[in-house]
């Protein structure tokens, strides 16, 4: 579903909601008032930054010759390394992925010194045939025939 593009002052349109950008700007304690022009400029700057970030992330990602339509979290850390001067403010927002033991402040797991045993394929075991119990003896009548 596409967002509707509302016209903003100056005849431009935006894909980011102006009121939300204005509310985010007001979250800063040092900002007392946000004019419409300031919110429009911040919206345009955010759109240009998002466009640049998307383009750079898609350019650096091998895609096997296919045109990609999206990118994910894993595409961003290489950009931080490639453009540290421009993206320094994102280092706290996009931490480098670490092994689980580092997050838990544990020592690294010991390295295995002996080679692991190769797995041996085992043929499935067929169930044994169970002997059927003998049929019950036939009842004979006690009456004398004859």
């Amino acid at each position: 579903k596409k967002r509707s593009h509302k016209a903003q002052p100056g005849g431009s349109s935006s894909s980011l909601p102006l009121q939300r950008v204005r509310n985010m700007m007001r979250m800063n304690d040092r900002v007392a008032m946000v004019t419409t022009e300031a919110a429009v400029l911040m919206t345009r700057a955010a759109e240009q930054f998002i466009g640049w970030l998307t383009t750079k992330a898609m350019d650096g990602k091998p895609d096997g010759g296919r045109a990609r339509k999206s990118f994910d979290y894993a595409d961003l850390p290489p950009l931080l390394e490639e453009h540290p001067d421009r993206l320094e403010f994102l280092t706290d927002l996009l931490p480098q992925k670490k092994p689980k033991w580092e997050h838990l402040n544990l020592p690294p797991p010991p390295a295995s010194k002996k080679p692991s045993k190769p797995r041996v394929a085992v043929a499935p075991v067929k169930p044994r045939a169970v002997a059927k119990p003998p049929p019950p003896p036939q009842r004979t009548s006690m009456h004398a025939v004859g």
Side-chain angles (χ1 to χ4, degrees):
K1 205 172 183 183
K2 288 188 174 182
R3 290 180 186 244
S4 62
H5 297 285
K6 294 184 178 180
Q8 294 179 353
S12 64
S13 65
S14 172
S15 59
L16 296 176
L18 182 63
Q19 190 59 42
R20 285 196 184 174
V21 173
R22 181 180 281 179
N23 289 341
M24 283 189 261
M25 292 172 70
R26 287 182 185 154
M27 292 173 114
N28 190 331
D29 295 334
R30 296 181 291 172
V31 175
M33 186 175 86
V34 178
T35 64
T36 303
E37 292 82 13
V40 169
L41 287 173
M42 186 59 76
T43 302
R44 287 299 208 121
E47 288 175 344
Q48 287 183 356
F49 174 70
I50 292 168
W52 178 84
L53 193 67
T54 304
T55 303
K56 291 294 182 183
M58 299 300 278
D59 287 347
K61 188 74 175 170
D63 56 2
R66 295 178 295 141
R68 292 182 57 201
K69 295 182 180 179
S70 64
F71 69 97
D72 58 9
Y73 177 88
D75 296 331
L76 295 176
L79 280 178
L80 291 176
E81 293 174 9
E82 188 178 330
H83 302 282
D85 53 330
R86 289 184 177 181
L87 302 175
E88 182 181 359
F89 69 97
L90 290 177
T91 54
D92 293 335
L93 298 174
L94 296 171
Q96 297 296 319
K97 291 191 176 188
K98 297 178 183 177
K100 187 187 329 183
W101 54 268
E102 276 188 32
H103 286 290
L104 299 174
N105 295 326
L106 298 173
S112 178
K113 292 182 182 177
K114 58 182 178 179
S116 61
K117 293 180 182 178
R119 291 188 163 195
V120 178
V122 178
V125 178
K126 293 182 181 179
R128 291 184 195 175
V130 178
K132 292 182 180 177
Q138 289 186 350
R139 287 183 112 183
T140 57
S141 66
M142 302 249 211
H143 299 293
V145 180

